[in-house]
Coordinates of all heavy atoms in Angstrom, one line a residue:
M1 N -1.8 -8.0 28.1 CA -3.2 -8.1 28.0 C -3.6 -7.3 26.7 O -4.4 -7.8 25.9 CB -4.0 -7.5 29.2 CG -5.4 -7.6 29.1 SD -6.0 -9.3 29.1 CE -7.7 -9.1 29.0
K2 N -3.1 -6.1 26.5 CA -3.5 -5.3 25.4 C -3.1 -6.0 24.1 O -3.7 -5.9 23.1 CB -2.9 -3.9 25.5 CG -3.5 -3.0 26.5 CD -2.9 -1.6 26.4 CE -3.5 -0.7 27.4 NZ -3.0 0.7 27.3
T3 N -1.9 -6.7 24.1 CA -1.4 -7.3 23.0 C -2.3 -8.5 22.5 O -2.5 -8.6 21.3 CB 0.1 -7.8 23.2 OG1 0.8 -6.8 23.7 CG2 0.7 -8.4 22.0
K4 N -2.7 -9.2 23.5 CA -3.7 -10.3 23.2 C -4.9 -9.8 22.6 O -5.4 -10.4 21.6 CB -3.9 -11.2 24.4 CG -2.8 -12.0 24.9 CD -3.1 -12.8 26.1 CE -1.9 -13.5 26.6 NZ -2.2 -14.4 27.8
V5 N -5.5 -8.8 23.1 CA -6.7 -8.2 22.6 C -6.5 -7.7 21.2 O -7.3 -7.9 20.3 CB -7.3 -7.1 23.5 CG1 -8.5 -6.4 22.9 CG2 -7.7 -7.7 24.8
L6 N -5.4 -7.0 21.0 CA -5.1 -6.5 19.6 C -4.9 -7.6 18.6 O -5.4 -7.6 17.5 CB -3.8 -5.6 19.7 CG -3.4 -5.0 18.4 CD1 -4.4 -3.9 18.0 CD2 -2.1 -4.3 18.6
L7 N -4.3 -8.7 19.0 CA -4.1 -9.8 18.1 C -5.4 -10.5 17.8 O -5.6 -10.9 16.6 CB -3.1 -10.9 18.7 CG -1.7 -10.4 18.7 CD1 -0.8 -11.5 19.4 CD2 -1.1 -10.3 17.2
V8 N -6.3 -10.6 18.7 CA -7.6 -11.3 18.5 C -8.4 -10.4 17.5 O -9.0 -10.9 16.5 CB -8.4 -11.5 19.8 CG1 -9.8 -11.8 19.5 CG2 -7.7 -12.5 20.6
I9 N -8.3 -9.1 17.7 CA -9.1 -8.2 16.8 C -8.5 -8.2 15.4 O -9.2 -8.3 14.4 CB -9.0 -6.7 17.4 CG1 -9.9 -6.7 18.6 CG2 -9.5 -5.8 16.3 CD1 -9.8 -5.3 19.3
L10 N -7.1 -8.3 15.3 CA -6.5 -8.4 14.0 C -6.9 -9.7 13.3 O -7.2 -9.7 12.1 CB -4.9 -8.3 14.2 CG -4.1 -8.5 13.0 CD1 -4.4 -7.2 12.1 CD2 -2.7 -8.7 13.3
F11 N -6.9 -10.8 14.0 CA -7.2 -12.1 13.4 C -8.8 -12.1 13.0 O -9.1 -12.7 12.0 CB -7.0 -13.3 14.3 CG -5.5 -13.7 14.3 CD1 -4.9 -13.7 15.5 CD2 -4.8 -14.0 13.2 CE1 -3.5 -14.0 15.5 CE2 -3.5 -14.3 13.2 CZ -2.8 -14.3 14.4
V12 N -9.6 -11.5 13.7 CA -11.0 -11.4 13.4 C -11.1 -10.6 12.1 O -11.9 -11.1 11.2 CB -11.9 -10.8 14.5 CG1 -13.2 -10.4 14.0 CG2 -11.9 -11.7 15.7
F13 N -10.5 -9.5 12.0 CA -10.6 -8.7 10.7 C -9.9 -9.4 9.6 O -10.4 -9.2 8.4 CB -9.9 -7.3 10.9 CG -10.9 -6.3 11.6 CD1 -10.5 -5.8 12.9 CD2 -12.1 -6.0 11.1 CE1 -11.3 -5.0 13.5 CE2 -12.9 -5.1 11.8 CZ -12.6 -4.6 13.0
L14 N -8.9 -10.1 9.8 CA -8.2 -10.8 8.6 C -9.0 -12.0 8.1 O -9.0 -12.3 7.0 CB -6.8 -11.3 9.1 CG -5.8 -10.2 9.2 CD1 -4.5 -10.8 9.7 CD2 -5.5 -9.5 7.9
F15 N -9.6 -12.8 9.0 CA -10.3 -14.0 8.6 C -11.8 -13.9 8.6 O -12.4 -14.9 8.0 CB -9.9 -15.1 9.6 CG -8.4 -15.5 9.5 CD1 -7.5 -15.2 10.6 CD2 -7.8 -15.9 8.3 CE1 -6.2 -15.4 10.5 CE2 -6.4 -16.2 8.2 CZ -5.6 -15.9 9.3
A16 N -12.4 -12.9 9.0 CA -13.9 -12.8 8.9 C -14.2 -11.9 7.8 O -14.6 -10.7 7.9 CB -14.4 -12.2 10.2
V17 N -13.9 -12.3 6.5 CA -14.2 -11.5 5.4 C -15.4 -12.0 4.6 O -15.8 -13.2 4.7 CB -13.0 -11.5 4.4 CG1 -11.8 -10.8 5.1 CG2 -12.7 -12.9 3.9
T18 N -16.1 -11.1 3.9 CA -17.2 -11.4 3.1 C -16.9 -11.1 1.7 O -16.2 -10.1 1.4 CB -18.5 -10.7 3.5 OG1 -18.2 -9.3 3.5 CG2 -18.9 -11.0 4.9
P19 N -17.5 -11.9 0.7 CA -17.1 -11.5 -0.7 C -17.7 -10.1 -1.0 O -18.8 -9.8 -0.6 CB -17.9 -12.6 -1.4 CG -18.4 -13.5 -0.5 CD -18.2 -13.1 0.9
A20 N -17.0 -9.4 -1.8 CA -17.4 -8.1 -2.2 C -17.6 -8.0 -3.7 O -16.8 -8.6 -4.5 CB -16.4 -7.0 -1.7
E21 N -18.5 -7.3 -4.2 CA -18.8 -7.0 -5.6 C -18.4 -5.5 -5.8 O -19.1 -4.6 -5.4 CB -20.2 -7.2 -6.0 CG -20.7 -8.6 -5.7 CD -20.3 -9.6 -6.8 OE1 -20.2 -9.1 -7.9 OE2 -20.3 -10.8 -6.5
A22 N -17.2 -5.3 -6.3 CA -16.8 -3.8 -6.4 C -16.6 -3.5 -8.0 O -15.7 -3.9 -8.6 CB -15.4 -3.7 -5.7
Q23 N -17.6 -2.7 -8.5 CA -17.5 -2.3 -9.9 C -18.1 -0.9 -10.0 O -19.0 -0.6 -9.2 CB -18.3 -3.3 -10.8 CG -17.8 -4.6 -10.9 CD -18.8 -5.5 -11.7 OE1 -19.9 -5.1 -12.0 NE2 -18.3 -6.6 -12.1
C24 N -17.5 -0.2 -10.9 CA -18.1 1.1 -11.2 C -19.4 0.9 -12.0 O -19.6 -0.2 -12.5 CB -17.2 2.1 -11.9 SG -16.8 1.5 -13.6
A25 N -20.2 1.9 -12.2 CA -21.5 1.8 -12.9 C -21.3 1.4 -14.3 O -22.1 0.5 -14.8 CB -22.3 3.0 -12.8
M26 N -20.3 1.9 -15.0 CA -20.1 1.6 -16.4 C -19.6 0.2 -16.6 O -20.1 -0.5 -17.5 CB -19.1 2.6 -17.0 CG -19.6 4.0 -17.1 SD -21.1 4.1 -18.1 CE -20.5 3.7 -19.8
C27 N -18.7 -0.2 -15.8 CA -18.2 -1.6 -15.8 C -19.3 -2.6 -15.6 O -19.4 -3.6 -16.3 CB -17.1 -1.8 -14.8 SG -15.6 -0.8 -15.2
R28 N -20.1 -2.3 -14.6 CA -21.2 -3.2 -14.3 C -22.2 -3.3 -15.4 O -22.7 -4.4 -15.7 CB -21.9 -2.7 -13.0 CG -23.0 -3.7 -12.5 CD -23.6 -3.1 -11.2 NE -24.5 -4.1 -10.7 CZ -24.3 -4.8 -9.6 NH1 -23.2 -4.5 -8.9 NH2 -25.1 -5.7 -9.2
A29 N -22.6 -2.2 -16.1 CA -23.5 -2.2 -17.2 C -22.9 -3.0 -18.3 O -23.7 -3.8 -18.9 CB -23.8 -0.8 -17.6
V30 N -21.7 -2.9 -18.6 CA -21.1 -3.6 -19.7 C -21.0 -5.1 -19.4 O -21.3 -6.0 -20.3 CB -19.7 -3.1 -20.1 CG1 -18.9 -4.0 -21.1 CG2 -19.8 -1.7 -20.7
L31 N -20.6 -5.4 -18.2 CA -20.4 -6.8 -17.9 C -21.7 -7.6 -17.6 O -21.8 -8.8 -17.7 CB -19.5 -6.9 -16.6 CG -18.1 -6.5 -16.8 CD1 -17.3 -6.4 -15.6 CD2 -17.4 -7.3 -17.9
E32 N -22.8 -6.9 -17.2 CA -24.1 -7.6 -17.0 C -24.7 -8.0 -18.4 O -25.5 -9.0 -18.4 CB -25.0 -6.7 -16.3 CG -24.8 -6.6 -14.8 CD -25.8 -5.7 -14.1 OE1 -26.6 -5.0 -14.8 OE2 -25.8 -5.8 -12.9
S33 N -24.3 -7.3 -19.4 CA -24.9 -7.8 -20.7 C -24.2 -9.0 -21.3 O -24.7 -9.6 -22.2 CB -24.7 -6.6 -21.7 OG -23.3 -6.3 -22.0
E34 N -23.1 -9.4 -20.7 CA -22.4 -10.6 -21.2 C -22.9 -11.8 -20.6 O -23.4 -11.9 -19.5 CB -20.9 -10.5 -20.8 CG -20.1 -11.7 -21.2 CD -18.7 -11.6 -20.7 OE1 -18.1 -10.6 -20.7 OE2 -18.2 -12.7 -20.1
E35 N -23.0 -12.9 -21.4 CA -23.5 -14.2 -20.9 C -22.4 -15.0 -20.1 O -21.3 -14.9 -20.5 CB -23.9 -15.1 -22.1 CG -25.1 -14.5 -22.8 CD -26.4 -14.6 -22.0 OE1 -26.6 -15.5 -21.2 OE2 -27.2 -13.6 -22.0
G36 N -22.8 -15.7 -19.1 CA -21.9 -16.5 -18.4 C -21.2 -15.8 -17.1 O -21.1 -16.4 -16.1
G37 N -20.9 -14.5 -17.2 CA -20.4 -13.8 -16.1 C -18.9 -14.0 -15.7 O -18.5 -13.6 -14.7
Q38 N -18.2 -14.7 -16.6 CA -16.8 -14.9 -16.3 C -16.0 -13.7 -16.3 O -15.1 -13.5 -15.5 CB -16.2 -16.0 -17.3 CG -16.7 -17.3 -17.2 CD -16.4 -17.9 -15.8 OE1 -15.3 -17.7 -15.3 NE2 -17.4 -18.7 -15.3
A39 N -16.2 -12.8 -17.2 CA -15.5 -11.5 -17.3 C -15.8 -10.7 -16.1 O -14.9 -10.0 -15.5 CB -15.9 -10.7 -18.6
A40 N -17.1 -10.7 -15.6 CA -17.4 -9.9 -14.4 C -16.7 -10.5 -13.2 O -16.2 -9.7 -12.3 CB -18.9 -10.0 -14.2
K41 N -16.6 -11.8 -13.1 CA -15.9 -12.4 -12.0 C -14.4 -12.0 -12.1 O -13.8 -11.7 -11.0 CB -16.0 -13.9 -12.1 CG -15.7 -14.6 -10.8 CD -16.0 -16.1 -11.0 CE -16.3 -16.7 -9.6 NZ -16.7 -18.1 -9.7
G42 N -13.8 -12.0 -13.2 CA -12.4 -11.6 -13.4 C -12.2 -10.1 -13.0 O -11.2 -9.8 -12.3
I43 N -13.1 -9.3 -13.4 CA -13.0 -7.9 -13.1 C -13.0 -7.7 -11.6 O -12.3 -7.0 -11.0 CB -14.1 -7.1 -13.8 CG1 -13.8 -7.0 -15.3 CG2 -14.1 -5.6 -13.2 CD1 -12.6 -6.2 -15.7
N44 N -14.0 -8.3 -10.9 CA -14.1 -8.2 -9.5 C -12.9 -8.7 -8.7 O -12.4 -8.1 -7.8 CB -15.3 -9.0 -9.0 CG -16.6 -8.3 -9.2 OD1 -16.6 -7.1 -9.2 ND2 -17.7 -9.1 -9.3
N45 N -12.3 -9.9 -9.2 CA -11.0 -10.3 -8.6 C -9.9 -9.4 -8.8 O -9.1 -9.1 -7.9 CB -10.7 -11.7 -9.1 CG -11.7 -12.8 -8.7 OD1 -12.3 -12.6 -7.7 ND2 -11.7 -13.8 -9.4
G46 N -9.8 -8.7 -10.0 CA -8.8 -7.8 -10.2 C -8.9 -6.5 -9.4 O -7.9 -6.0 -8.8
I47 N -10.1 -6.1 -9.1 CA -10.3 -4.9 -8.3 C -9.9 -5.2 -6.9 O -9.2 -4.4 -6.2 CB -11.8 -4.4 -8.3 CG1 -12.1 -3.9 -9.8 CG2 -12.1 -3.4 -7.3 CD1 -13.5 -3.6 -10.0
V48 N -10.3 -6.4 -6.4 CA -10.0 -6.8 -5.0 C -8.4 -6.9 -4.9 O -7.8 -6.5 -3.9 CB -10.7 -8.0 -4.6 CG1 -10.2 -8.6 -3.3 CG2 -12.2 -7.8 -4.5
Y49 N -7.8 -7.5 -5.9 CA -6.3 -7.6 -5.9 C -5.6 -6.3 -5.8 O -4.7 -6.1 -5.1 CB -6.0 -8.4 -7.1 CG -4.5 -8.5 -7.4 CD1 -3.7 -9.4 -6.6 CD2 -3.8 -7.8 -8.3 CE1 -2.3 -9.5 -6.8 CE2 -2.5 -7.9 -8.6 CZ -1.7 -8.8 -7.8 OH -0.4 -8.9 -8.0
L50 N -6.1 -5.3 -6.6 CA -5.5 -4.0 -6.6 C -5.8 -3.3 -5.3 O -5.0 -2.4 -4.9 CB -6.0 -3.2 -7.7 CG -5.5 -3.7 -9.2 CD1 -6.3 -2.9 -10.2 CD2 -4.1 -3.4 -9.3
M51 N -6.8 -3.6 -4.6 CA -7.1 -2.9 -3.3 C -6.2 -3.4 -2.2 O -6.0 -2.7 -1.2 CB -8.5 -3.2 -2.9 CG -9.6 -2.5 -3.7 SD -11.3 -2.9 -3.2 CE -11.3 -3.1 -1.5
I52 N -5.5 -4.5 -2.3 CA -4.7 -5.0 -1.3 C -3.4 -4.1 -1.1 O -3.0 -3.9 0.0 CB -4.2 -6.5 -1.6 CG1 -5.5 -7.4 -1.5 CG2 -3.1 -7.0 -0.8 CD1 -5.2 -8.8 -2.0
F53 N -2.8 -3.7 -2.1 CA -1.5 -2.9 -2.0 C -1.6 -1.7 -1.2 O -0.7 -1.4 -0.4 CB -1.0 -2.7 -3.4 CG -0.6 -4.0 -4.1 CD1 -1.3 -4.5 -5.1 CD2 0.5 -4.8 -3.7 CE1 -1.0 -5.8 -5.7 CE2 0.9 -6.0 -4.2 CZ 0.1 -6.5 -5.2
P54 N -2.5 -0.8 -1.4 CA -2.6 0.4 -0.5 C -2.6 0.0 1.0 O -1.9 0.6 1.9 CB -3.8 1.1 -0.9 CG -4.1 0.7 -2.2 CD -3.6 -0.7 -2.4
Y55 N -3.4 -1.1 1.3 CA -3.5 -1.5 2.7 C -2.1 -2.1 3.2 O -1.7 -1.8 4.3 CB -4.6 -2.5 2.9 CG -5.9 -1.9 2.8 CD1 -6.7 -2.2 1.7 CD2 -6.4 -1.0 3.8 CE1 -8.0 -1.6 1.6 CE2 -7.6 -0.5 3.7 CZ -8.5 -0.8 2.6 OH -9.7 -0.2 2.5
L56 N -1.4 -2.8 2.4 CA -0.1 -3.3 2.7 C 0.9 -2.1 2.9 O 1.7 -2.1 3.9 CB 0.4 -4.2 1.6 CG -0.3 -5.6 1.6 CD1 0.3 -6.4 0.4 CD2 -0.1 -6.3 2.9
L57 N 0.9 -1.1 2.1 CA 1.7 0.0 2.3 C 1.5 0.8 3.5 O 2.4 1.1 4.3 CB 1.6 1.0 1.0 CG 2.2 0.5 -0.3 CD1 1.8 1.4 -1.4 CD2 3.7 0.3 -0.1
I58 N 0.2 1.1 3.8 CA -0.1 1.8 5.0 C 0.2 1.0 6.2 O 0.8 1.5 7.2 CB -1.6 2.1 5.1 CG1 -2.0 3.1 3.9 CG2 -2.0 2.7 6.4 CD1 -1.4 4.4 4.0
G59 N 0.0 -0.4 6.2 CA 0.4 -1.2 7.3 C 1.9 -1.2 7.6 O 2.4 -1.2 8.7
G60 N 2.6 -1.3 6.4 CA 4.1 -1.3 6.6 C 4.7 0.0 7.1 O 5.6 0.0 8.0
I61 N 4.1 1.1 6.7 CA 4.5 2.4 7.2 C 4.1 2.5 8.7 O 5.0 3.0 9.5 CB 3.9 3.6 6.4 CG1 4.5 3.6 5.0 CG2 4.1 4.9 7.0 CD1 3.7 4.5 4.0
G62 N 3.0 2.1 9.0 CA 2.5 2.1 10.4 C 3.4 1.3 11.3 O 3.8 1.7 12.4
F63 N 3.8 0.1 10.8 CA 4.7 -0.8 11.6 C 6.1 -0.2 11.8 O 6.7 -0.3 12.8 CB 4.8 -2.2 10.9 CG 5.7 -3.1 11.6 CD1 5.4 -3.7 12.8 CD2 7.0 -3.4 11.1 CE1 6.1 -4.5 13.5 CE2 7.8 -4.3 11.8 CZ 7.4 -4.9 13.0
A64 N 6.6 0.5 10.7 CA 7.9 1.1 10.8 C 7.9 2.2 11.8 O 8.8 2.4 12.6 CB 8.3 1.6 9.4
I65 N 6.8 3.0 11.8 CA 6.7 4.1 12.8 C 6.6 3.5 14.2 O 7.2 4.0 15.1 CB 5.4 5.0 12.5 CG1 5.7 5.8 11.2 CG2 5.2 5.9 13.6 CD1 4.5 6.5 10.6
Y66 N 5.8 2.5 14.4 CA 5.7 1.8 15.7 C 7.0 1.3 16.2 O 7.4 1.5 17.4 CB 4.7 0.7 15.6 CG 4.7 -0.2 16.8 CD1 4.1 0.1 18.0 CD2 5.3 -1.5 16.7 CE1 4.1 -0.7 19.1 CE2 5.4 -2.3 17.8 CZ 4.7 -1.9 18.9 OH 4.8 -2.8 20.1
R67 N 7.8 0.7 15.3 CA 9.1 0.1 15.7 C 10.1 1.2 16.0 O 10.8 1.1 17.0 CB 9.6 -0.8 14.5 CG 10.8 -1.6 15.0 CD 11.2 -2.5 13.9 NE 11.2 -1.9 12.6 CZ 11.7 -2.5 11.5 NH1 12.1 -3.7 11.5 NH2 11.7 -1.8 10.4
S68 N 10.1 2.3 15.2 CA 11.0 3.4 15.5 C 10.7 4.1 16.8 O 11.6 4.4 17.6 CB 11.1 4.3 14.4 OG 9.9 5.1 14.3
R69 N 9.4 4.2 17.1 CA 9.0 4.9 18.4 C 9.3 4.0 19.6 O 9.7 4.5 20.7 CB 7.5 5.2 18.4 CG 7.2 6.4 17.5 CD 5.8 6.7 17.7 NE 5.5 8.0 17.0 CZ 4.8 9.0 17.5 NH1 4.2 8.8 18.6 NH2 4.6 10.1 16.8
K70 N 9.1 2.7 19.4 CA 9.4 1.7 20.5 C 10.9 1.7 20.8 O 11.3 1.7 21.9 CB 8.9 0.3 20.1 CG 9.1 -0.7 21.2 CD 8.6 -2.0 20.8 CE 8.8 -3.0 21.9 NZ 8.3 -4.4 21.5
K71 N 11.7 1.8 19.7 CA 13.2 1.8 19.9 C 13.6 3.1 20.6 O 14.5 3.0 21.4 CB 13.9 1.6 18.5 CG 15.3 1.3 18.6 CD 16.0 1.2 17.3 CE 15.6 -0.1 16.6 NZ 16.2 -0.4 15.4
A72 N 13.1 4.2 20.2 CA 13.4 5.5 20.8 C 13.0 5.5 22.3 O 13.7 6.0 23.1 CB 12.8 6.6 20.1
R73 N 11.9 4.9 22.6 CA 11.4 4.8 24.0 C 12.4 4.0 24.8 O 12.6 4.3 26.0 CB 10.0 4.3 24.1 CG 9.3 4.5 25.4 CD 7.9 4.1 25.4 NE 7.1 4.5 24.2 CZ 6.3 3.8 23.5 NH1 6.0 2.5 23.9 NH2 5.6 4.2 22.5
E74 N 12.8 2.8 24.3 CA 13.7 2.0 25.0 C 15.0 2.7 25.2 O 15.7 2.5 26.3 CB 13.9 0.7 24.2 CG 12.7 -0.2 24.3 CD 12.9 -1.5 23.4 OE1 13.9 -1.6 22.8 OE2 12.0 -2.3 23.4
Q75 N 15.5 3.5 24.3 CA 16.8 4.2 24.4 C 16.7 5.3 25.5 O 17.6 5.6 26.2 CB 17.3 4.8 23.1 CG 17.7 3.8 22.2 CD 18.2 4.3 20.8 OE1 17.9 5.5 20.6 NE2 18.7 3.5 20.0
D76 N 15.5 5.9 25.6 CA 15.3 7.0 26.6 C 15.3 6.3 28.0 O 15.7 7.0 28.9 CB 14.0 7.6 26.4 CG 14.0 8.6 25.2 OD1 15.2 8.9 24.8 OD2 12.9 9.0 24.7
L77 N 14.8 5.1 28.1 CA 14.8 4.5 29.5 C 16.2 4.0 29.9 O 16.5 3.9 31.1 CB 13.9 3.3 29.4 CG 12.4 3.6 29.3 CD1 11.6 2.2 29.1 CD2 11.9 4.4 30.4
N78 N 17.1 3.8 28.9 CA 18.4 3.3 29.3 C 19.3 4.6 29.5 O 19.9 5.1 30.1 CB 19.0 2.5 28.2 CG 18.4 1.2 28.1 OD1 17.8 0.7 29.1 ND2 18.3 0.6 27.0

């Protein structure tokens, strides 16, 4: 039961995303002065792309810890 609830919550967080505008004040000021907004769109996409890697690293470390604890618990039971 807990696994199903956890998977549902995980899928909700993965697929229920909203677009984000992530810029520092200086980048925003420079990019707003440009016509067309293509550079601003590229900067936003780059920032979001760079934000993915810390989350992947933390998730991988968390999964490794979970797996090692689960394996140790199974060995204690045997």
Side-chain angles (χ1 to χ4, degrees):
M1 181 66 181
K2 286 184 181 182
T3 305
K4 288 182 182 180
V5 172
L6 183 64
L7 285 175
V8 168
I9 291 171
L10 178 68
F11 282 123
V12 167
F13 280 118
L14 285 176
F15 295 112
V17 296
T18 57
E21 302 276 335
Q23 294 176 348
C24 68
M26 291 301 294
C27 295
R28 185 178 188 113
V30 169
L31 293 173
E32 281 181 349
S33 65
E34 181 188 312
E35 293 293 323
Q38 291 298 322
K41 197 174 205 178
I43 293 290
N44 281 334
N45 290 338
I47 291 170
V48 171
Y49 174 74
L50 288 173
M51 285 173 39
I52 291 171
F53 292 106
Y55 289 107
L56 289 175
L57 288 172
I58 297 296
I61 291 169
F63 179 72
I65 291 171
Y66 167 76
R67 191 173 47 173
S68 68
R69 286 184 172 224
K70 185 177 178 182
K71 191 179 290 186
R73 193 175 316 138
E74 288 175 357
Q75 287 178 354
D76 287 343
L77 292 176
N78 292 331

